[in-house]
């Protein structure tokens, strides 16, 4: 730790629109490692090496020891001061549950009796009376009889996107491996790396034009500003986090994990491909997003209809009218700028380089049983939208939103305006199973609760398993509908859920 503290230099990192849009979320994952050979604690994920590697890693990510602040112009920034460090939390503890019990439970994290549940939700102080948001946390939980280790890592989303988060965790693992192996290495040297945290790097890709701004973004930024959006942008990060916890996270949520084998993915993609326009090539992500969107949005609609029928008797519905059905639903898709520019150094940048765009799905397509043509239609819409999000379009979007101090809030409010909405992100391209601390790859990697209900993350499975795992954070009643959806479940090979 002393090495890290001595390396600190005062700095102020102003966040841009892509960062601020994520200021209401954390990125948090559980990494599960099994000690199948029952190696002694001194050699299996040794505590001293992991802790030393963690603080050595922080030397490359010193802004994670800063404090989130908002200035008089509602700009969010990270202030790092050597004499006022907001040190990331690091703990190494044991629990009385062994790895086999955890495995049989479907890796239910409730069994860990964790004390860091606050880090799984939104960036907020750990308690109401605490005034500072921790920007990063790492918790090593050693399972009974040294049967394995669960590693929980959380970083506030406004400082990293999926690529930046994975870079941080893999760097920690790389340094840990080096520490464990250096005694046996005759000419080894510390694996130095260069990372880019300065947000001016991202703004190099911005475009001041407006011809590629989609209409929903234009409406949200030009017409969506009001006293409420300005007030939310003005709030301190701590107050905003507490407010979101109070107002948004009241519904009972459940995490569902659905594993889909490669054969079923290929079959689904072939079905959609046969029904889209000739010459249009769709991706695995396109068709998975469409299938997920159909099942979840239909489930939300079914829950709402049942809820209305319970709350309002049919006689009163006849007199006063039924709850008005919206014309559209929103399927929010997150895309990264990195693969859209021909520069390798974009992968050294750890800040947010993502943009979310909404595919507007007509409700008529969600009122009936899904058909191959329905799947193809929504898949095509997603493919067209994603293809249009080239470097210029993403650059214009970020510049356009960044012009308003409350632009990210206006955009968020516009997206929340849909009655039925779902956000889908994709981590298939991230090497989560490459997080090897010297003991081999994790057996399983899963996200903690996604920050808001109706959020989905497409994850890779372990390389030995193949396929992918769909992590959904849904309200309990919607999750029950999804699990009973025979069309969706026909794709699923295995599923777990954690309440």
């Amino acid at each position: 730790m002393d090495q890290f503290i001595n390396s600190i230099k005062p700095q102020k990192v102003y966040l841009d629109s892509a960062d601020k849009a994520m200021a209401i979320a954390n990125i948090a994952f559980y990494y599960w490692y099994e000690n199948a050979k029952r190696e002694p604690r001194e050699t299996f994920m040794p505590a001293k090496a992991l802790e030393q590697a963690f603080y050595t890693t922080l030397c490359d990510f010193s802004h994670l020891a800063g404090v989130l602040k908002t200035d008089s112009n509602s700009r969010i920034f990270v202030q790092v001061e050597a004499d006022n460090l907001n040190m990331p939390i690091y703990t190494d503890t044991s629990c009385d549950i062994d790895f086999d019990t955890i495995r049989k439970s479907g890796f239910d994290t409730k069994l860990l009796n964790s004390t860091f549940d606050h880090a799984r939700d939104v960036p907020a102080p750990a308690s109401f009376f605490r005034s500072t948001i921790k920007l990063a946390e790492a918790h090593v939980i050693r399972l009974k009889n040294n049967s394995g280790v669960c590693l929980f890592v959380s970083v506030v989303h406004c400082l990293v996107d999926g690529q930046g988060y994975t870079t941080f965790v893999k760097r920690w693992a790389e340094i840990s491996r080096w520490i464990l192996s250096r005694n046996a290495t005759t000419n080894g040297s510390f694996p130095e790396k260069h990372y880019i945290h300065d947000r001016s790097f991202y703004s190099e890709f911005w475009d001041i034009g407006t011809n590629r701004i989609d209409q929903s973004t234009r409406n949200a930024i030009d017409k969506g500003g009001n006293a409420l959006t300005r007030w939310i942008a003005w709030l301190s990060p701590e107050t905003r986090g507490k407010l979101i916890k109070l107002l948004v996270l009241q519904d009972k949520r459940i995490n569902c994990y659905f594993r889909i084998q490669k054969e079923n993915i290929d079959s689904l993609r072939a079905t959609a491909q046969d029904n889209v326009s000739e010459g249009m090539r769709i991706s695995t992500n396109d068709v998975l997003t469409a299938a997920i969107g159909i099942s979840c949005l239909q489930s939300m609609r079914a829950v709402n209809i049942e809820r209305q029928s319970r709350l309002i008797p049919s006689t009163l519905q006849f007199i006063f009218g039924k709850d008005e059905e919206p014309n559209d639903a929103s399927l929010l898709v997150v895309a990264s700028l990195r693969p859209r520019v021909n520069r390798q150094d974009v992968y050294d940048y750890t800040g947010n380089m993502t943009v979310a765009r909404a595919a507007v799905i007509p409700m008529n397509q969600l009122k009936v049983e899904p058909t191959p043509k329905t799947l193809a239609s929504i898949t095509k819409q997603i493919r067209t939208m994603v293809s249009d999000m080239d470097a210029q379009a993403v650059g214009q979007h970020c510049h356009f939103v960044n012009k308003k101090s409350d632009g990210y809030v206006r955009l968020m409010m516009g997206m929340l305006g849909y009655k039925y909405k779902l956000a889908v992100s994709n981590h298939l391209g991230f090497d989560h199973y490459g997080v090897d601390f010297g003991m081999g790859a994790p057996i399983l990697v899963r996200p903690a609760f996604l920050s808001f209900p109706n959020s989905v993350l497409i994850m890779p499975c372990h390389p030995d398993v193949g396929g992918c795992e769909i992590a959904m954070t849904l309200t309990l009643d919607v999750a029950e509908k999804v699990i009973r959806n025979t069309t969706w479940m026909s794709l699923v090979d295995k599923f777990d859920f954690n309440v």
Side-chain angles (χ1 to χ4, degrees), residues 2 7 27 35 46 56 70 99 140 188 193 231 247 271 308 320 336 360 404 445 497:
D2 290 342
S7 72
I27 298 185
N35 186 5
T56 303
T70 303
F99 198 91
V140 182
K193 294 282 182 68
W231 178 71
L247 299 181
T271 298
Q308 288 297 320
F320 297 106
S336 172
V360 179
K404 304 287 187 181
V445 181
F497 60 89

Side-chain angles (χ1 to χ4, degrees), residues 16 18-19 22 25-29 31 61 63-64 154-169 196-197 199 201-202 334-339 346-355 425-427 430 432 457:
D16 57 37
D19 296 314
M22 302 302 170
N26 290 323
I27 298 185
F29 283 87
Y31 295 80
F61 296 82
H63 60 306
L64 295 182
S154 173
V155 182
V156 293
H157 202 339
C158 62
L159 295 187
V160 296
D161 59 7
Q163 177 70 44
Y165 175 92
T166 311
T167 296
F168 172 73
V169 180
I196 304 170
H197 310 302
R199 268 47 185 177
F201 173 82
Y202 187 27
V334 180
S336 172
L337 178 66
R338 287 184 178 87
V346 296
Y347 294 95
D348 299 325
Y349 179 69
T350 59
N352 286 277
M353 294 191 80
T354 55
V355 170
S425 299
N426 187 323
H427 274 215
F430 300 146
H432 284 289
L457 184 61

Side-chain angles (χ1 to χ4, degrees), residues 33-35 44 99 141-144 146-150:
Y33 298 84
E34 182 179 16
N35 186 5
F44 181 77
F99 198 91
I141 304 101
R142 300 184 182 276
L143 304 181
K144 186 177 180 181
N146 198 34
S147 55
V149 162
C150 173

Side-chain angles (χ1 to χ4, degrees), residues 33 45-46 49-54 56-57 166-185 189-191 193 195 431-442:
Y33 298 84
M45 304 284 278
L50 259 63
E51 184 174 8
Q52 180 184 350
F54 179 76
T56 303
T57 303
T166 311
T167 296
F168 172 73
V169 180
K170 288 193 67 177
R171 176 64 166 166
W172 178 16
E174 178 187 22
I175 293 176
S176 178
R177 293 197 307 271
W178 180 82
I179 290 172
L180 293 175
S181 63
R182 62 180 174 176
N183 291 334
T185 304
S189 59
F190 186 78
K193 294 282 182 68
Y195 301 106
D431 189 18
H432 284 289
Y433 286 93
V435 180
D436 176 4
F437 286 84
M439 308 293 128

